[in-house]
Amino acid sequence: MRQGMIGGLLLSPGLHFFLTRVMPRAVFPSLSARANIGLRVAIHQACMMPLIQFTLLFVSAAMQPAGSIEDRVAAGKQRLHDKWRKGFCASLMFWPAVNTVMYSMVQPRFMNLYADMASLIFASIMSYITYKDCAATFETEEVRPTLAVPSLPKIDTQQLPAIDMLTEAVQTIPLVW
């Protein structure tokens, strides 16, 4: 229910405004078609990803039952602080591909529908990431087969934060999908 309210009341109107008012002006006639699509995807990522991250993480936590408004804001801040990196990594693995398809194949009149469908899928993924730690665990006596995910070699990431984020993104995707 919360994710539907967040998507319907916050994300969809913002996305509609962005796709109908901002992106039609982001046309670069002097560039090739591929460069034009790549630049539009980069603009889309830079403008929309922070809005999506904030609404799905902060607002969903702030809508949880709490004693006061201050408690809700504190819960939103805490969830945003705890989960933004995994969400950012999932966003980087999902949205560039989705937006590349949108700006290269989808007619402008259907972009809102396409983006809303992709947002629904992404909201489901983000909801899974957000509430995965809160999920109830059921103990059964049967043994479930597990998927063996090979571990990546350890790299000193103190000096290379970009490699740290890339490593985390690569390790997050099998958990999300």
Side-chain angles (χ1 to χ4, degrees), residues 12 26 46 93 122 164 168:
S12 290
M93 298 306 234
F122 184 71
D164 182 38
E168 189 169 331

Side-chain angles (χ1 to χ4, degrees), residues 24-40:
R25 291 175 174 77
V27 178
F28 309 98
S30 63
L31 299 176
S32 69
R34 288 182 183 179
N36 219 330
I37 290 168
L39 206 49
R40 291 179 73 158

Side-chain angles (χ1 to χ4, degrees), residues 154-174:
K154 296 294 179 190
I155 300 172
D156 181 22
T157 58
Q158 295 294 346
Q159 297 174 6
L160 302 169
I163 289 179
D164 182 38
M165 289 191 79
L166 180 63
T167 303
E168 189 169 331
V170 169
Q171 291 173 339
T172 300
I173 291 304

Side-chain angles (χ1 to χ4, degrees), residues 17-65:
F17 176 81
F18 184 77
L19 290 174
T20 58
R21 303 287 186 241
V22 176
M23 289 313 289
R25 291 175 174 77
V27 178
F28 309 98
S30 63
L31 299 176
S32 69
R34 288 182 183 179
N36 219 330
I37 290 168
L39 206 49
R40 291 179 73 158
V41 168
I43 291 169
H44 193 117
Q45 282 295 113
C47 295
M48 292 307 293
M49 192 162 48
L51 173 68
I52 291 170
Q53 288 285 76
F54 176 77
T55 54
L56 289 178
L57 294 174
F58 180 85
V59 176
S60 68
M63 292 177 78
Q64 296 282 344

